[in-house]
């Protein structure tokens, strides 16, 4: 495994996006636990979760509890694993996603997440999405209070603009360590946010990093997975999966990039973790950069 840095913490260059283990079409618990264990076996030390990663309305925190059980049952030391969770979104149980980022809600949510994860302080807590009904500075101010109280050790923000990143950085200072926006072979709208993250020394955790190669559970009715792109052709030439090529491209694209591909089977995360072993040559990188979204 290769490593990258989130603040002062070294994490695996490819993490595990745990959302598919708890939402619609989720696997049974045995396979879900096996998927987490396969990630750990592959050297993954970053797990991305959220209190809203659940299916039914009455099971908030399902994914956090699942991750806590998986780590407890692993049988080896997992103290080096960074579990990054998020707050500020909800799921009423009808398939939709809500946003609530009031300071009161975020503080209560963070405390509940810490309890579910079984930790004294959350390693990385991310504001899941800006709430259009709450001033951004107020939501970010709640993260500041959580940092000061010791409820969280580091803060991140997700689904944000460059202006929101700059304002959060002013409020949180070194407490802000990560940005999590959508970014993939098919969706590159957050290039400005990625570049700003590099400038500020923030890790960039692209969600749905395999968009255009594999569908994300949050991508919606965007059509079938694409085929026949340069990612697929180079994968065939290399004898690896297109997913590995996509992740290797992301890692080569920016030193701030720490992709967290989702997985619901052990084989999927094992395959994704192997992307760190790939070194794309100059010609391959040129061809992949020229693949236009859409």
């Amino acid at each position: 495994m290769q490593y990258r840095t989130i603040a002062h913490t070294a994490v695996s260059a490819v993490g595990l996006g745990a959302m598919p283990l708890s939402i619609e079409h989720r696997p049974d618990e045995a396979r879900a636990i096996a998927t987490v264990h396969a990630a750990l076996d592959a050297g993954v030390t970053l797990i991305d979760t959220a209190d809203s990663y659940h299916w039914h309305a009455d099971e908030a925190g399902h994914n956090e509890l699942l991750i806590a059980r998986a780590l407890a049952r692993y049988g080896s030391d997992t103290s080096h694993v960074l579990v990054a969770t998020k707050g500020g979104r909800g799921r009423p149980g009808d398939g939709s996603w809500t946003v609530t980022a009031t300071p009161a809600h975020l503080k209560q949510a963070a405390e509940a997440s810490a309890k579910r994860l079984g930790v004294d302080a959350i390693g990385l807590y991310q504001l899941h999405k800006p709430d259009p009904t709450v001033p951004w500075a107020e939501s970010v101010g709640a993260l500041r209070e959580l940092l000061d109280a010791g409820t969280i050790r580091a803060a991140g923000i997700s689904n944000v603009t460059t202006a929101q990143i700059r304002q959060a950085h002013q409020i949180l200072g070194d407490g802000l360590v990560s940005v999590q926006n959508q970014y993939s072979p098919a969706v590159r709208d957050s290039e400005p946010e990625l570049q700003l993250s590099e400038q500020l020394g923030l890790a960039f955790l692209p969600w749905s990093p395999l968009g255009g190669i594999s569908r994300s559970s949050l991508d919606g009715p965007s059509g079938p997975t694409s085929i026949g792109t340069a990612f697929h052709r180079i994968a065939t030439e290399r004898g690896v999966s297109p997913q590995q090529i996509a992740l290797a491209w992301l890692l080569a694209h920016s030193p701030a990039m720490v992709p967290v591909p989702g997985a619901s089977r052990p084989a999927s995360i094992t395959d994704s973790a192997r992307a760190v072993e790939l070194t794309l040559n100059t010609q391959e990188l040129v061809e992949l950069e020229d693949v236009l979204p859409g």
Side-chain angles (χ1 to χ4, degrees):
M1 179 55 66
Q2 296 179 14
Y3 296 87
R4 295 210 164 169
T5 301
I6 299 180
H8 302 296
T9 302
V11 298
S12 54
V14 171
L16 169 66
M19 182 179 70
L21 301 176
S22 290
I23 64 168
E24 294 86 336
H25 312 297
R26 65 195 181 198
D28 61 32
E29 178 151 328
R31 195 175 93 185
I33 296 288
T35 299
V36 177
H37 288 178
L40 299 173
D41 290 344
V44 170
T45 64
L46 172 64
I47 299 176
D48 180 75
T49 182
D51 61 0
S52 58
Y53 290 170
H54 60 90
W55 183 354
H56 307 293
D58 60 350
E59 56 177 18
H62 181 281
N63 199 241
E64 293 173 323
L65 290 167
L66 175 68
I67 296 304
R69 288 195 296 274
L71 292 175
R73 298 175 189 174
Y74 185 54
S76 298
D77 180 34
T78 58
S79 60
H80 60 295
V81 176
L82 176 62
V83 177
T85 192
K86 295 180 286 293
R89 300 203 76 176
R91 301 209 72 196
D94 60 358
S96 65
W97 298 74
T98 61
V99 181
T100 306
T102 62
H105 174 81
L106 290 173
K107 285 184 277 189
Q108 181 181 36
E111 292 168 0
S113 289
K115 184 176 181 180
R116 285 189 290 263
L117 292 169
V119 297
D120 295 329
I122 296 170
L124 173 57
Y125 190 71
Q126 302 167 99
L127 199 165
H128 208 153
K129 188 175 184 178
D131 186 337
T133 69
V134 179
W136 178 238
E138 291 185 13
S139 295
V140 176
L143 298 182
R144 177 74 268 169
E145 293 183 33
L146 288 166
L147 285 166
D148 294 341
T151 307
I152 67 176
R153 293 195 176 95
I157 50 178
S158 182
N159 299 299
V160 289
T161 65
T162 54
Q164 288 167 332
I165 295 172
R166 293 186 186 281
Q167 188 173 10
H169 190 252
Q170 290 176 345
I171 295 169
L172 299 172
D174 292 341
L176 179 65
V177 302
S178 65
V179 170
Q180 189 167 27
N181 279 16
Q182 185 176 18
Y183 194 99
S184 70
V187 181
R188 306 185 192 182
D189 298 344
S190 281
E191 188 68 34
E193 289 74 24
L194 169 60
Q195 293 180 7
L196 179 58
S197 296
E198 287 185 24
Q199 295 169 19
L200 296 177
L202 307 175
F204 188 89
L205 284 58
W207 64 263
S208 189
L210 300 176
I213 305 300
S214 296
R215 293 277 304 281
S216 163
S217 298
L218 283 178
D219 284 343
S222 56
T225 300
S226 63
I227 58 174
T229 69
F231 290 88
H232 295 81
R233 180 180 56 74
I234 292 172
T236 299
E237 294 171 355
R238 289 290 199 111
V240 299
S241 68
Q243 289 82 0
Q244 282 192 37
I245 296 297
L247 293 170
W249 169 74
L250 287 167
L251 292 171
H253 186 67
S254 169
M257 199 80 79
V258 186
V260 284
S264 61
R265 297 180 299 115
S268 297
I269 187 57
T270 300
D271 180 71
S272 290
R274 291 188 180 127
V276 302
E277 302 167 6
L278 288 174
T279 300
L280 300 171
N281 63 42
T282 301
Q283 181 58 37
E284 289 170 333
L285 289 171
V286 169
E287 292 179 36
L288 295 174
E289 290 289 347
D290 285 344
V291 176
L292 295 177

